[in-house]
Amino acid sequence: MNQLEFVKLHGNGNDFILIDELNRERIPEDAKSEASRILCHRNFGIGGDGVLFLVPSEKADIGMRLLQPDGSEAEMCGNGIRCLAKHAWESGYVGESFSVETLAGVIPIHVRMDGNRFWARVEMGIPRFERSEIPAEGEGLFLKVPIHGFEVSAVNTGVPHAVIFVDDLDLPVERMAPKIRHSSCFPEGANVNFVRHGDHLEVRTFERGVEAETLSCGTGSVAAAAVARRLGLVGDSVEVRTRGGPLLISFVGEKAFMEGPAVTVCRGVVSDEILQTLQ
């Protein structure tokens, strides 16, 4: 493996290591899972909530893959796709409107500068509430189902999400969420979102694959808004405040859109010492 360049970006504090493989593979396929474990480690690696791979696509303008800190591959990531879009746009690979192929499908994106801040509007598709599409056990919609003392609703917004409305977000999320994340109700597991409803939505998210709370989750913010809308708590547009910053979630018909920023933190080269462990 030759010198490995990376870009570190974040979307509302949800941080990623981006490896640009648009023109050639940089990390062999059979090493990508272990590489994500090593690179994402916050003490022994670069540190991040995942490794984004910018790859070619036959179905869209570009492609995105996301390998998580536990080595698993996620279908989609709302904050991650904005980070990937920023790099692709600034690198001249795409214009202001383009599409990204993910494991969850082809995602249309429009980017712009809001003053000196990069901003992306992502078409997130139609949230899927049917249990077979989440996936979740049973039939019909998964709304206000009692699990471990909570009323849990679930939806797939690119990945499966459990949504729980609470009056107080001062919760031990990393102690409480794993029981729901690993519930037998969700055969592929689920991200877990605790949500407080008021003039806006406040969300704290425990992410599968990261196996910890993250500062922000794009698909989780869409899930919270979609469930709140389905329950009649919000209308077609709502601000979702995560611990890392706000996102604007809106709906046109049943299709969801997410708008938010992305920031480039740094660019660098992986050292030879670490590179040798990736081969």
Side-chain angles (χ1 to χ4, degrees), residues 109-189:
I109 297 180
H110 180 79
V111 304
R112 60 184 172 86
M113 293 301 295
D114 181 9
N116 62 355
R117 184 172 66 164
F118 173 87
W119 199 260
R121 185 173 192 259
V122 182
E123 184 177 314
M124 298 291 287
I126 298 175
R128 293 171 294 184
F129 283 92
E130 286 291 332
R131 293 183 186 228
S132 61
E133 295 184 307
I134 294 172
E137 289 188 343
E139 297 180 356
L141 305 184
F142 198 106
L143 296 173
K144 294 187 173 183
V145 176
I147 304 176
H148 297 295
F150 291 101
E151 284 191 343
V152 180
S153 299
V155 62
N156 189 308
T157 53
V159 291
H161 279 276
V163 176
I164 302 161
F165 286 93
V166 295
D167 295 327
D168 187 356
L169 279 178
D170 186 17
L171 301 168
V173 169
E174 296 200 352
R175 179 172 63 82
M176 299 169 67
K179 294 179 182 180
I180 299 162
R181 178 257 186 270
H182 292 288
S183 169
S184 59
C185 293
F186 305 113
E188 296 179 10

Side-chain angles (χ1 to χ4, degrees), residues 77-91:
C77 176
N79 289 323
I81 203 169
R82 296 199 316 277
C83 291
L84 183 107
K86 184 177 193 290
H87 174 77
W89 183 61
E90 292 180 341
S91 299

